[in-house]
Amino acid sequence: MQKVLVTGGLGYIGSHTVVELYLEGYEPVIVDDLSNSELFILDRIGEIIKFKPTFYQINLLDEVAVAKIFAEHMFAGVIHFAAFKSVSESVQNPLLYYKNNLGSLINTLSLLENSNSNNFIFSSSCTVYGEADNLPINENALLKKPTSPYGKTKSMGEEIISDFITTYNKNAILLRYFNPIGAHKSGKIGELPLGVPNNLVPFITQTAARIRKELLVYGKDYPTKDGTAIRDYIYVCDLAKAHILALNRLINKKNTTNIEIYNIGTGKGNSVLEVIETFEKVTKTKLNYRFTDRRSGDVTAAYAEADLAKENLGFEAKTTLEEALKTAWDWQLSLK
Ligand code: WQD
């Protein structure tokens, strides 16, 4: 089997992508420092795919340790998830985010330089668009300055990769995720928000599970149909599949330029209130929430124009908001 290095492979998106990689016939090799995940996720992945991937618990800032991995394996590709991802934490501790997210990326790329691995998939984010002028957002939209250090590490990361790829004649695909939600249908893996969740859906499920007292809806005065902000909520397993399609494209040399960029979303926007109401309907629970002020840095609306990913990758997000929220709730209940 062709080996694929997955950095951050025990994290939320990473673990779901490891499952899809194996099902596609690749051998995933995982690197994770467990700063935002737990080792039992490796066992859960093993239960799902009936195969225990090679796992290295290392921090990508440890260049010697990372070099050893590249010396031990020949990778057909590298999928780079490893990064801190809390918008609010990045505002409180910007240097931690620049050091970790950019340092890890640079170390990984510098080892790619002298290896036979030529294919690099990067976990980017729609946050690089900021408050887009036009909706849906396509890949040619003007990149506005992200409003958080987290978002800046994504846009700077894209620049670093672009310069690297050009100089060393490698190939990369940048996947700009919209809002990943849900959990694997097996109920064995999902989003492990360690601490108070930042994101909407884990906060909803923890409120419904009485772990949190109430959900605060940040803003009821946006210029949208119901006053709450709009996002493109994509099921995590659909997002994971997009990585496989992107990797196949590079391995099969179907890419037309050294670096390609794709928005990965459903192409549909849902408001916070719609997500809440859909969750209540799907789970037959009543959510305790109230409206409060907008959260600084939030944009009014962001949802993808998903045509390019469909045309070039053959990617289409098939899972509905209802189905994705059901998997999130089932996962929450399994954590009890
Ligand atoms: C969604 C909507 C909030 C929590 C960020 C990053 C993105 C990606 C996902 C990492 C917004 C509202 C939220 C709550 C609320 N990164 N909300 N109450 O901010 O769109 O995207 O996370 O995975 O790169 O930018 O996602 O889930 O935080 O917020 O009302 O308790 O839900 O205001 O409108 P966001 P989110």
Side-chain angles (χ1 to χ4, degrees):
M1 282 193 279
Q2 289 182 307
K3 290 180 182 177
V4 176
L5 176 64
V6 186
T7 72
L10 291 186
Y12 177 37
I13 322 285
S15 56
H16 289 82
T17 302
V18 163
V19 167
E20 297 301 333
L21 275 170
Y22 187 76
L23 297 178
E24 181 77 6
Y26 292 108
E27 181 189 342
V29 174
I30 299 171
V31 164
D32 201 300
D33 65 358
L34 297 181
S35 61
N36 194 23
S37 182
E38 293 183 17
L39 195 53
F40 83 86
I41 294 292
L42 181 64
D43 297 330
R44 294 288 182 87
I45 290 171
E47 289 166 23
I48 297 171
I49 59 176
K50 312 287 184 263
F51 169 81
K52 200 82 171 285
T54 304
F55 167 64
Y56 296 92
Q57 181 178 351
I58 66 160
N59 184 314
L60 290 172
L61 296 176
D62 177 349
E63 290 183 73
V64 172
V66 187
K68 268 183 66 192
I69 293 172
F70 273 86
E72 281 166 18
H73 303 275
M74 215 315 260
F75 297 116
V78 176
I79 305 182
H80 185 68
F81 292 102
F84 295 155
K85 64 166 204 170
S86 164
V87 171
S88 54
E89 185 186 47
S90 77
V91 173
Q92 283 137 33
N93 199 337
L95 293 184
L96 174 74
Y97 271 65
Y98 289 124
K99 184 169 181 204
N100 182 69
N101 291 7
L102 298 183
S104 301
L105 171 64
I106 290 165
N107 277 357
T108 306
L109 290 174
S110 59
L111 284 152
L112 206 66
E113 176 192 331
N114 302 311
S115 80
N116 297 325
S117 303
N118 297 318
N119 304 308
F120 190 76
I121 309 284
F122 179 60
S123 164
S124 189
S125 165
C126 63
T127 201
V128 301
Y129 295 114
E131 185 81 73
D133 297 329
N134 302 303
L135 291 165
I137 304 173
N138 72 44
E139 287 82 354
N140 300 315
L142 181 72
L143 300 190
K144 298 205 179 146
K145 195 165 169 206
T147 51
S148 71
Y150 158 78
K152 287 175 192 166
T153 66
K154 291 300 183 185
S155 53
M156 291 173 188
E158 291 191 356
E159 293 299 320
I160 292 167
I161 294 162
S162 173
D163 292 339
F164 169 80
I165 291 294
T166 309
T167 304
Y168 298 103
N169 191 27
K170 302 277 186 179
N171 299 291
I173 288 182
L174 314 180
L175 297 179
R176 291 175 178 164
Y177 309 160
F178 281 68
N179 289 59
I181 62 167
H184 194 265
K185 291 189 170 83
S186 66
K188 291 180 183 297
I189 55 175
E191 186 168 9
L192 265 187
L194 306 176
V196 180
N198 290 291
N199 296 128
L200 177 66
V201 171
F203 214 108
I204 286 178
T205 58
Q206 288 192 15
T207 304
R210 307 265 183 275
I211 296 169
R212 307 283 159 207
K213 197 167 67 67
E214 65 178 353
L215 168 74
L216 297 181
V217 177
Y218 299 134
K220 180 78 170 78
D221 60 349
Y222 284 101
T224 61
K225 52 194 155 190
D226 59 24
T228 63
I230 292 171
R231 297 290 185 276
D232 182 330
Y233 296 96
I234 177 167
Y235 179 47
V236 65
C237 294
D238 288 340
L239 175 59
K241 289 185 176 81
H243 292 77
I244 311 309
L245 294 169
L247 182 67
N248 289 343
R249 180 171 172 89
L250 292 184
I251 288 178
N252 300 327
K253 302 189 188 329
K254 294 274 194 269
N255 51 307
T256 53
T257 53
N258 278 39
I259 187 160
E260 295 185 341
I261 299 173
Y262 296 101
N263 287 343
I264 303 297
T266 65
K268 287 188 292 296
N270 284 110
S271 72
V272 174
L273 257 184
E274 281 174 332
V275 175
I276 292 170
E277 287 157 3
T278 306
F279 180 82
E280 290 180 323
K281 188 180 80 177
V282 160
T283 61
K284 299 183 179 54
T285 60
K286 192 83 193 80
L287 208 59
N288 182 26
Y289 65 91
R290 68 182 167 86
F291 298 104
T292 183
D293 298 339
R294 296 184 182 189
R295 181 172 65 177
S296 75
D298 276 353
V299 299
T300 301
Y303 52 93
E305 183 186 282
D307 301 346
L308 194 63
K310 185 173 181 188
E311 192 183 318
N312 288 7
L313 302 181
F315 173 73
E316 211 174 340
K318 294 200 165 51
T319 310
T320 64
L321 179 65
E322 290 80 357
E323 290 163 338
L325 288 171
K326 179 77 174 63
T327 67
W329 182 231
D330 291 345
W331 168 247
Q332 181 66 60
L333 293 175
S334 79
L335 290 174
K336 268 190 176 156

